[in-house]
Amino acid sequence: GVFTIPNLVSLARLSLIPVFLWLLLGRDDPVAAGWLFGFIGATDWVDGFLARRLDQISEVGKFLDPLADRIAVFVALVGGLIAGVLEPWLAWAILLREALVGVGALWVAARGRTKLAVRRLGKAATLLVYAGVGFLFLGAGGWGWVEALGWLLGVPGLALYYVVGYQYLDDARRAVAGAAAPV
């Protein structure tokens, strides 16, 4: 079904993204935006957990969950650039990785292949990027000591993002060639 509890969590995550933008750009409150971004990131785990626990895994959820992740990260990065909260090199490096993986996913879909399996390392990288970016928002709002934590999590998250991005592109190549991709 479409209206499962995990899918509703994903939809709620998506509905909070405009609130995040309003906090960041409308109210000029990077701390509140950072906390909300952290909440959006934390609920990424919740929808997957509920889908497995409640046996409500669906094709809609398999699409909606990563879509919510990608949109939330994209909006946080672009919003962070506009607000001057994020260092441009970091934001652009993450955006480039997202674009490369997105092109890979479109390439797989255009060749009629199914969606690629999510890698655990990819979930870990996403968690580090979410946490790192969120802490950088808090740091920009005057919580300077938290900014160091943002860098300690964000830079390794970025590195893992590229490692996993390469793995996903290799999985995409294998999927299109008809070979089984490792999980």
Side-chain angles (χ1 to χ4, degrees), residues 91-180:
W92 284 110
I94 297 170
L95 286 168
L96 176 62
R97 185 271 188 190
E98 290 294 318
L100 292 172
V101 170
V103 167
L106 291 173
W107 179 63
V108 169
R111 283 159 181 68
R113 301 299 181 197
T114 60
K115 187 176 174 304
L116 300 176
V118 174
R119 292 175 168 269
R120 286 181 190 245
L121 190 60
K123 290 300 244 177
T126 300
L127 172 67
L128 290 173
V129 167
Y130 261 120
V133 169
F135 286 136
L136 290 172
F137 274 85
L138 294 177
W143 295 28
W145 62 273
V146 176
E147 183 176 4
L149 187 56
W151 288 110
L152 287 172
L153 296 173
V155 172
L158 173 62
L160 283 178
Y161 236 26
Y162 271 91
V163 168
V164 175
Y166 175 79
Q167 291 173 340
Y168 282 139
L169 290 177
D170 189 51
D171 290 349
R173 183 191 56 77
R174 289 175 190 250
V176 169

Side-chain angles (χ1 to χ4, degrees), residues 24-55:
L24 180 64
L25 301 175
R27 288 200 38 207
D28 192 24
D29 189 349
V31 171
W35 281 114
L36 183 57
F37 183 70
F39 177 78
I40 292 168
T43 55
D44 175 33
W45 177 83
V46 171
D47 56 12
F49 173 80
L50 289 173
R52 290 183 296 279
R53 179 59 61 113
L54 301 174
D55 195 27

Side-chain angles (χ1 to χ4, degrees), residues 52-105:
R52 290 183 296 279
R53 179 59 61 113
L54 301 174
D55 195 27
Q56 294 183 344
I57 296 171
S58 67
E59 291 304 312
V60 171
K62 290 179 184 178
F63 173 78
L64 200 55
D65 176 45
L67 176 69
D69 290 340
R70 302 290 69 88
I71 292 174
V73 169
F74 177 80
V75 167
L77 295 171
V78 172
L81 283 169
I82 292 169
V85 170
L86 298 175
E87 290 290 331
W89 70 266
L90 178 68
W92 284 110
I94 297 170
L95 286 168
L96 176 62
R97 185 271 188 190
E98 290 294 318
L100 292 172
V101 170
V103 167

